[in-house]
Short mmCIF file of all heavy atoms in Angstrom, two decimals:
data_model
loop_
_atom_site.label_atom_id
_atom_site.label_comp_id
_atom_site.label_asym_id
_atom_site.label_seq_id
_atom_site.Cartn_x
_atom_site.Cartn_y
_atom_site.Cartn_z
N LEU A 486 102.55 -128.74 32.47
CA LEU A 486 102.34 -127.62 33.39
C LEU A 486 100.87 -127.41 33.72
O LEU A 486 100.49 -127.32 34.90
CB LEU A 486 102.93 -126.34 32.77
CG LEU A 486 102.82 -125.07 33.61
CD1 LEU A 486 103.58 -125.22 34.92
CD2 LEU A 486 103.35 -123.87 32.83
N ALA A 487 100.02 -127.32 32.69
CA ALA A 487 98.61 -127.05 32.93
C ALA A 487 97.95 -128.19 33.70
O ALA A 487 97.13 -127.96 34.59
CB ALA A 487 97.88 -126.82 31.60
N THR A 488 98.32 -129.43 33.37
CA THR A 488 97.73 -130.58 34.07
C THR A 488 98.09 -130.56 35.55
O THR A 488 97.22 -130.73 36.42
CB THR A 488 98.24 -131.89 33.44
OG1 THR A 488 97.86 -131.94 32.06
CG2 THR A 488 97.65 -133.10 34.16
N THR A 489 99.36 -130.34 35.85
CA THR A 489 99.81 -130.34 37.24
C THR A 489 99.15 -129.23 38.05
O THR A 489 98.67 -129.44 39.17
CB THR A 489 101.34 -130.19 37.31
OG1 THR A 489 101.95 -131.20 36.50
CG2 THR A 489 101.84 -130.33 38.74
N VAL A 490 99.11 -128.04 37.47
CA VAL A 490 98.53 -126.89 38.18
C VAL A 490 97.03 -127.08 38.39
O VAL A 490 96.50 -126.78 39.46
CB VAL A 490 98.82 -125.58 37.43
CG1 VAL A 490 98.05 -124.42 38.05
CG2 VAL A 490 100.32 -125.28 37.45
N THR A 491 96.32 -127.58 37.37
CA THR A 491 94.88 -127.76 37.52
C THR A 491 94.55 -128.86 38.52
O THR A 491 93.54 -128.76 39.23
CB THR A 491 94.21 -128.07 36.17
OG1 THR A 491 94.91 -129.14 35.52
CG2 THR A 491 94.22 -126.87 35.26
N ILE A 492 95.37 -129.90 38.59
CA ILE A 492 95.15 -130.91 39.62
C ILE A 492 95.24 -130.28 41.00
O ILE A 492 94.38 -130.48 41.87
CB ILE A 492 96.17 -132.06 39.49
CG1 ILE A 492 95.87 -132.91 38.26
CG2 ILE A 492 96.15 -132.94 40.74
CD1 ILE A 492 96.91 -133.98 37.99
N SER A 495 92.45 -127.50 41.58
CA SER A 495 91.07 -127.98 41.55
C SER A 495 90.54 -128.22 42.95
O SER A 495 89.34 -128.35 43.16
CB SER A 495 90.97 -129.28 40.73
OG SER A 495 91.65 -130.34 41.40
N SER A 498 87.60 -125.90 44.02
CA SER A 498 86.22 -126.31 43.75
C SER A 498 85.81 -127.43 44.69
O SER A 498 84.67 -127.44 45.19
CB SER A 498 86.08 -126.77 42.29
OG SER A 498 86.35 -125.72 41.39
N CYS A 626 80.84 -130.12 38.76
CA CYS A 626 81.16 -129.97 37.33
C CYS A 626 82.42 -129.11 37.15
O CYS A 626 83.27 -129.41 36.30
CB CYS A 626 79.99 -129.35 36.60
SG CYS A 626 78.53 -130.42 36.45
N ALA A 627 82.53 -128.03 37.92
CA ALA A 627 83.72 -127.18 37.82
C ALA A 627 84.98 -127.94 38.19
O ALA A 627 86.03 -127.78 37.55
CB ALA A 627 83.55 -125.96 38.73
N TRP A 628 84.89 -128.79 39.20
CA TRP A 628 86.04 -129.59 39.63
C TRP A 628 86.46 -130.57 38.54
O TRP A 628 87.64 -130.66 38.19
CB TRP A 628 85.67 -130.32 40.93
CG TRP A 628 86.76 -131.19 41.47
CD1 TRP A 628 88.06 -130.83 41.69
CD2 TRP A 628 86.65 -132.56 41.86
NE1 TRP A 628 88.77 -131.89 42.21
CE2 TRP A 628 87.93 -132.96 42.33
CE3 TRP A 628 85.60 -133.47 41.89
CZ2 TRP A 628 88.17 -134.25 42.80
CZ3 TRP A 628 85.85 -134.76 42.37
CH2 TRP A 628 87.12 -135.13 42.81
N VAL A 629 85.50 -131.29 37.98
CA VAL A 629 85.81 -132.28 36.94
C VAL A 629 86.35 -131.61 35.69
O VAL A 629 87.36 -132.03 35.11
CB VAL A 629 84.55 -133.11 36.60
CG1 VAL A 629 84.81 -134.01 35.40
CG2 VAL A 629 84.13 -133.95 37.81
N TRP A 630 85.70 -130.51 35.26
CA TRP A 630 86.11 -129.87 34.02
C TRP A 630 87.45 -129.15 34.16
O TRP A 630 88.15 -128.94 33.16
CB TRP A 630 85.03 -128.91 33.55
CG TRP A 630 84.02 -129.60 32.70
CD1 TRP A 630 82.80 -130.09 33.08
CD2 TRP A 630 84.16 -129.93 31.31
NE1 TRP A 630 82.17 -130.69 32.02
CE2 TRP A 630 82.98 -130.60 30.92
CE3 TRP A 630 85.16 -129.72 30.37
CZ2 TRP A 630 82.79 -131.06 29.62
CZ3 TRP A 630 84.96 -130.18 29.08
CH2 TRP A 630 83.80 -130.84 28.71
N SER A 631 87.82 -128.77 35.36
CA SER A 631 89.14 -128.17 35.53
C SER A 631 90.24 -129.15 35.14
O SER A 631 91.24 -128.77 34.51
CB SER A 631 89.33 -127.69 36.97
OG SER A 631 89.34 -128.77 37.88
N PHE A 632 90.07 -130.45 35.48
CA PHE A 632 91.01 -131.48 35.03
C PHE A 632 91.02 -131.57 33.51
O PHE A 632 92.08 -131.65 32.88
CB PHE A 632 90.63 -132.86 35.60
CG PHE A 632 90.80 -132.98 37.08
CD1 PHE A 632 89.70 -133.13 37.90
CD2 PHE A 632 92.06 -132.97 37.66
CE1 PHE A 632 89.84 -133.27 39.27
CE2 PHE A 632 92.21 -133.09 39.03
CZ PHE A 632 91.11 -133.24 39.83
N CYS A 633 89.82 -131.59 32.92
CA CYS A 633 89.71 -131.73 31.47
C CYS A 633 90.39 -130.57 30.74
O CYS A 633 91.15 -130.78 29.79
CB CYS A 633 88.24 -131.82 31.06
SG CYS A 633 87.35 -133.25 31.75
N PHE A 634 90.12 -129.36 31.18
CA PHE A 634 90.72 -128.20 30.53
C PHE A 634 92.24 -128.23 30.64
O PHE A 634 92.95 -127.92 29.67
CB PHE A 634 90.18 -126.91 31.16
CG PHE A 634 88.75 -126.61 30.81
CD1 PHE A 634 87.84 -126.26 31.79
CD2 PHE A 634 88.31 -126.67 29.49
CE1 PHE A 634 86.52 -125.98 31.47
CE2 PHE A 634 87.00 -126.39 29.16
CZ PHE A 634 86.10 -126.05 30.16
N GLY A 635 92.75 -128.59 31.80
CA GLY A 635 94.19 -128.65 31.99
C GLY A 635 94.84 -129.70 31.11
O GLY A 635 95.88 -129.44 30.47
N ARG A 636 94.23 -130.89 31.05
CA ARG A 636 94.81 -131.95 30.24
C ARG A 636 94.74 -131.63 28.75
O ARG A 636 95.68 -131.89 27.99
CB ARG A 636 94.08 -133.27 30.53
CG ARG A 636 94.76 -134.48 29.92
CD ARG A 636 96.19 -134.58 30.39
NE ARG A 636 96.94 -135.63 29.70
CZ ARG A 636 98.23 -135.62 29.53
NH1 ARG A 636 98.95 -134.60 30.00
NH2 ARG A 636 98.84 -136.61 28.91
N ILE A 637 93.61 -131.06 28.32
CA ILE A 637 93.47 -130.68 26.92
C ILE A 637 94.54 -129.65 26.54
O ILE A 637 95.14 -129.72 25.46
CB ILE A 637 92.06 -130.12 26.65
CG1 ILE A 637 91.02 -131.24 26.74
CG2 ILE A 637 91.99 -129.45 25.28
CD1 ILE A 637 89.59 -130.76 26.71
N SER A 638 94.80 -128.70 27.43
CA SER A 638 95.83 -127.69 27.16
C SER A 638 97.18 -128.33 26.91
O SER A 638 97.88 -128.00 25.94
CB SER A 638 95.93 -126.71 28.34
OG SER A 638 94.77 -125.94 28.47
N ASP A 639 97.56 -129.26 27.78
CA ASP A 639 98.87 -129.92 27.62
C ASP A 639 98.92 -130.77 26.36
O ASP A 639 99.95 -130.81 25.67
CB ASP A 639 99.18 -130.77 28.85
CG ASP A 639 99.61 -129.93 30.04
OD1 ASP A 639 100.10 -128.80 29.82
OD2 ASP A 639 99.46 -130.38 31.18
N LEU A 640 97.83 -131.47 26.03
CA LEU A 640 97.82 -132.31 24.83
C LEU A 640 97.93 -131.47 23.57
O LEU A 640 98.61 -131.88 22.61
CB LEU A 640 96.53 -133.14 24.80
CG LEU A 640 96.43 -134.27 25.84
CD1 LEU A 640 95.07 -134.95 25.76
CD2 LEU A 640 97.55 -135.30 25.63
N LEU A 641 97.28 -130.32 23.55
CA LEU A 641 97.40 -129.44 22.39
C LEU A 641 98.84 -129.01 22.16
O LEU A 641 99.30 -128.90 21.01
CB LEU A 641 96.52 -128.20 22.57
CG LEU A 641 95.00 -128.42 22.51
CD1 LEU A 641 94.26 -127.14 22.88
CD2 LEU A 641 94.58 -128.90 21.12
N ILE A 642 99.56 -128.77 23.25
CA ILE A 642 100.97 -128.35 23.14
C ILE A 642 101.87 -129.54 22.81
O ILE A 642 102.74 -129.45 21.92
CB ILE A 642 101.42 -127.68 24.45
CG1 ILE A 642 100.60 -126.41 24.71
CG2 ILE A 642 102.91 -127.35 24.40
CD1 ILE A 642 100.83 -125.81 26.08
N THR A 652 97.43 -121.80 22.75
CA THR A 652 96.65 -122.65 23.67
C THR A 652 96.08 -121.80 24.80
O THR A 652 94.89 -121.93 25.15
CB THR A 652 97.53 -123.76 24.25
OG1 THR A 652 98.00 -124.60 23.18
CG2 THR A 652 96.74 -124.62 25.24
N ARG A 653 96.91 -120.94 25.38
CA ARG A 653 96.42 -120.05 26.44
C ARG A 653 95.28 -119.18 25.92
O ARG A 653 94.26 -119.00 26.59
CB ARG A 653 97.56 -119.17 26.97
CG ARG A 653 98.73 -119.93 27.56
CD ARG A 653 98.45 -120.46 28.94
NE ARG A 653 99.66 -121.03 29.51
CZ ARG A 653 99.99 -122.33 29.43
NH1 ARG A 653 99.16 -123.19 28.83
NH2 ARG A 653 101.12 -122.77 29.96
N SER A 655 93.25 -119.76 23.32
CA SER A 655 92.07 -120.55 22.97
C SER A 655 91.29 -120.95 24.22
O SER A 655 90.05 -120.86 24.24
CB SER A 655 92.48 -121.80 22.20
OG SER A 655 93.15 -121.46 21.01
N MET A 656 91.99 -121.37 25.27
CA MET A 656 91.31 -121.79 26.48
C MET A 656 90.62 -120.61 27.15
O MET A 656 89.52 -120.75 27.71
CB MET A 656 92.30 -122.44 27.44
CG MET A 656 92.98 -123.69 26.90
SD MET A 656 91.84 -124.94 26.25
CE MET A 656 91.03 -125.49 27.74
N HIS A 657 91.22 -119.43 27.05
CA HIS A 657 90.56 -118.27 27.67
C HIS A 657 89.38 -117.80 26.83
O HIS A 657 88.42 -117.23 27.38
CB HIS A 657 91.54 -117.12 27.88
CG HIS A 657 91.08 -116.17 28.94
ND1 HIS A 657 91.17 -116.44 30.29
CD2 HIS A 657 90.47 -114.96 28.86
CE1 HIS A 657 90.67 -115.44 30.98
NE2 HIS A 657 90.22 -114.52 30.14
N VAL A 658 89.43 -118.00 25.53
CA VAL A 658 88.25 -117.72 24.70
C VAL A 658 87.09 -118.60 25.15
O VAL A 658 85.94 -118.13 25.30
CB VAL A 658 88.57 -117.95 23.21
CG1 VAL A 658 87.27 -117.98 22.39
CG2 VAL A 658 89.49 -116.86 22.68
N ILE A 659 87.37 -119.88 25.38
CA ILE A 659 86.33 -120.80 25.86
C ILE A 659 85.77 -120.32 27.19
O ILE A 659 84.55 -120.28 27.40
CB ILE A 659 86.89 -122.23 25.98
CG1 ILE A 659 87.26 -122.78 24.61
CG2 ILE A 659 85.88 -123.15 26.68
CD1 ILE A 659 87.98 -124.12 24.65
N ALA A 660 86.67 -119.95 28.12
CA ALA A 660 86.22 -119.47 29.43
C ALA A 660 85.35 -118.23 29.31
O ALA A 660 84.29 -118.13 29.94
CB ALA A 660 87.44 -119.18 30.32
N THR A 661 85.79 -117.29 28.47
CA THR A 661 85.05 -116.03 28.32
C THR A 661 83.67 -116.27 27.72
O THR A 661 82.67 -115.71 28.17
CB THR A 661 85.84 -115.05 27.43
OG1 THR A 661 87.13 -114.81 28.02
CG2 THR A 661 85.12 -113.74 27.29
N VAL A 662 83.59 -117.12 26.70
CA VAL A 662 82.31 -117.41 26.06
C VAL A 662 81.35 -118.07 27.06
O VAL A 662 80.17 -117.67 27.17
CB VAL A 662 82.50 -118.31 24.83
CG1 VAL A 662 81.16 -118.84 24.32
CG2 VAL A 662 83.22 -117.55 23.72
N LEU A 663 81.84 -119.06 27.79
CA LEU A 663 80.97 -119.76 28.75
C LEU A 663 80.47 -118.83 29.84
O LEU A 663 79.29 -118.85 30.21
CB LEU A 663 81.72 -120.95 29.36
CG LEU A 663 82.03 -122.13 28.43
CD1 LEU A 663 82.85 -123.19 29.17
CD2 LEU A 663 80.73 -122.75 27.91
N VAL A 664 81.37 -118.01 30.38
CA VAL A 664 80.98 -117.13 31.49
C VAL A 664 80.03 -116.03 31.01
O VAL A 664 78.97 -115.81 31.60
CB VAL A 664 82.23 -116.51 32.15
CG1 VAL A 664 81.83 -115.43 33.14
CG2 VAL A 664 83.03 -117.60 32.88
N VAL A 686 75.53 -123.14 36.42
CA VAL A 686 76.51 -124.24 36.34
C VAL A 686 77.47 -123.99 35.18
O VAL A 686 78.68 -124.22 35.31
CB VAL A 686 75.79 -125.59 36.18
CG1 VAL A 686 76.79 -126.71 35.90
CG2 VAL A 686 74.98 -125.92 37.43
N VAL A 687 76.95 -123.51 34.04
CA VAL A 687 77.81 -123.20 32.89
C VAL A 687 78.83 -122.13 33.25
O VAL A 687 80.01 -122.22 32.89
CB VAL A 687 76.95 -122.74 31.69
CG1 VAL A 687 77.83 -122.17 30.57
CG2 VAL A 687 76.13 -123.91 31.15
N VAL A 688 78.39 -121.09 33.97
CA VAL A 688 79.31 -120.03 34.39
C VAL A 688 80.40 -120.61 35.30
O VAL A 688 81.59 -120.26 35.16
CB VAL A 688 78.54 -118.92 35.13
CG1 VAL A 688 79.51 -117.91 35.74
CG2 VAL A 688 77.60 -118.21 34.17
N MET A 689 80.04 -121.50 36.20
CA MET A 689 81.02 -122.08 37.11
C MET A 689 82.02 -122.96 36.35
O MET A 689 83.22 -122.97 36.67
CB MET A 689 80.31 -122.88 38.20
CG MET A 689 79.42 -122.01 39.09
SD MET A 689 78.33 -122.93 40.20
CE MET A 689 79.50 -123.41 41.47
N ILE A 690 81.56 -123.67 35.33
CA ILE A 690 82.47 -124.47 34.50
C ILE A 690 83.43 -123.56 33.74
O ILE A 690 84.64 -123.81 33.67
CB ILE A 690 81.67 -125.34 33.52
CG1 ILE A 690 80.90 -126.43 34.28
CG2 ILE A 690 82.59 -125.99 32.48
CD1 ILE A 690 79.96 -127.24 33.41
N GLY A 691 82.89 -122.48 33.17
CA GLY A 691 83.75 -121.54 32.46
C GLY A 691 84.81 -120.92 33.36
O GLY A 691 85.97 -120.76 32.95
N SER A 692 84.42 -120.61 34.58
CA SER A 692 85.39 -120.04 35.53
C SER A 692 86.52 -121.01 35.84
O SER A 692 87.66 -120.59 36.04
CB SER A 692 84.67 -119.64 36.82
OG SER A 692 83.70 -118.63 36.59
N SER A 693 86.22 -122.31 35.87
CA SER A 693 87.26 -123.29 36.18
C SER A 693 88.29 -123.39 35.07
O SER A 693 89.42 -123.83 35.31
CB SER A 693 86.63 -124.67 36.42
OG SER A 693 86.12 -125.23 35.21
N CYS A 694 87.94 -122.98 33.85
CA CYS A 694 88.87 -123.05 32.72
C CYS A 694 90.05 -122.10 32.90
O CYS A 694 91.13 -122.33 32.36
CB CYS A 694 88.13 -122.73 31.43
SG CYS A 694 89.11 -122.87 29.94
N THR A 695 89.86 -121.04 33.67
CA THR A 695 90.92 -120.03 33.82
C THR A 695 92.10 -120.54 34.63
O THR A 695 93.14 -119.88 34.68
CB THR A 695 90.36 -118.76 34.47
OG1 THR A 695 89.77 -119.08 35.74
CG2 THR A 695 89.30 -118.12 33.59
N ILE A 696 91.97 -121.70 35.29
CA ILE A 696 93.12 -122.27 36.01
C ILE A 696 94.27 -122.55 35.05
O ILE A 696 95.43 -122.50 35.45
CB ILE A 696 92.70 -123.55 36.76
CG1 ILE A 696 91.65 -123.23 37.83
CG2 ILE A 696 93.91 -124.22 37.42
CD1 ILE A 696 91.18 -124.45 38.61
N CYS A 697 93.96 -122.80 33.78
CA CYS A 697 95.03 -123.08 32.81
C CYS A 697 95.20 -121.93 31.82
O CYS A 697 95.68 -122.14 30.70
CB CYS A 697 94.77 -124.39 32.08
SG CYS A 697 93.19 -124.47 31.21
N THR A 698 94.82 -120.71 32.21
CA THR A 698 95.06 -119.55 31.34
C THR A 698 95.88 -118.51 32.10
O THR A 698 97.07 -118.68 32.30
CB THR A 698 93.72 -118.96 30.83
OG1 THR A 698 92.92 -118.50 31.93
CG2 THR A 698 92.94 -120.00 30.05
N LEU A 701 98.42 -119.21 35.02
CA LEU A 701 99.73 -119.78 34.71
C LEU A 701 100.76 -118.71 34.34
O LEU A 701 101.92 -119.04 34.11
CB LEU A 701 99.62 -120.78 33.56
CG LEU A 701 98.80 -122.05 33.82
CD1 LEU A 701 98.74 -122.91 32.58
CD2 LEU A 701 99.37 -122.84 34.99
N TYR A 753 84.05 -109.18 32.67
CA TYR A 753 84.74 -110.40 32.25
C TYR A 753 85.07 -110.35 30.76
O TYR A 753 86.17 -110.76 30.35
CB TYR A 753 83.85 -111.61 32.53
CG TYR A 753 84.62 -112.89 32.77
CD1 TYR A 753 84.95 -113.31 34.05
CD2 TYR A 753 85.04 -113.68 31.69
CE1 TYR A 753 85.66 -114.47 34.26
CE2 TYR A 753 85.75 -114.85 31.90
CZ TYR A 753 86.06 -115.24 33.18
OH TYR A 753 86.78 -116.39 33.38
#
Side-chain angles (χ1 to χ4, degrees):
L486 181 62
T488 300
T489 306
V490 172
T491 50
I492 289 174
S495 68
S498 297
C626 291
W628 179 51
V629 172
W630 273 98
S631 65
F632 292 113
C633 298
F634 289 132
R636 190 56 188 154
I637 290 171
S638 293
D639 284 336
L640 290 176
L641 290 173
I642 297 171
T652 298
R653 300 283 187 266
S655 300
M656 299 308 291
H657 202 77
V658 167
I659 294 173
T661 302
V662 169
L663 291 176
V664 171
V686 172
V687 169
V688 172
M689 297 170 77
I690 292 173
S692 297
S693 71
C694 183
T695 57
I696 297 179
C697 57
T698 62
L701 295 178
Y753 207 94

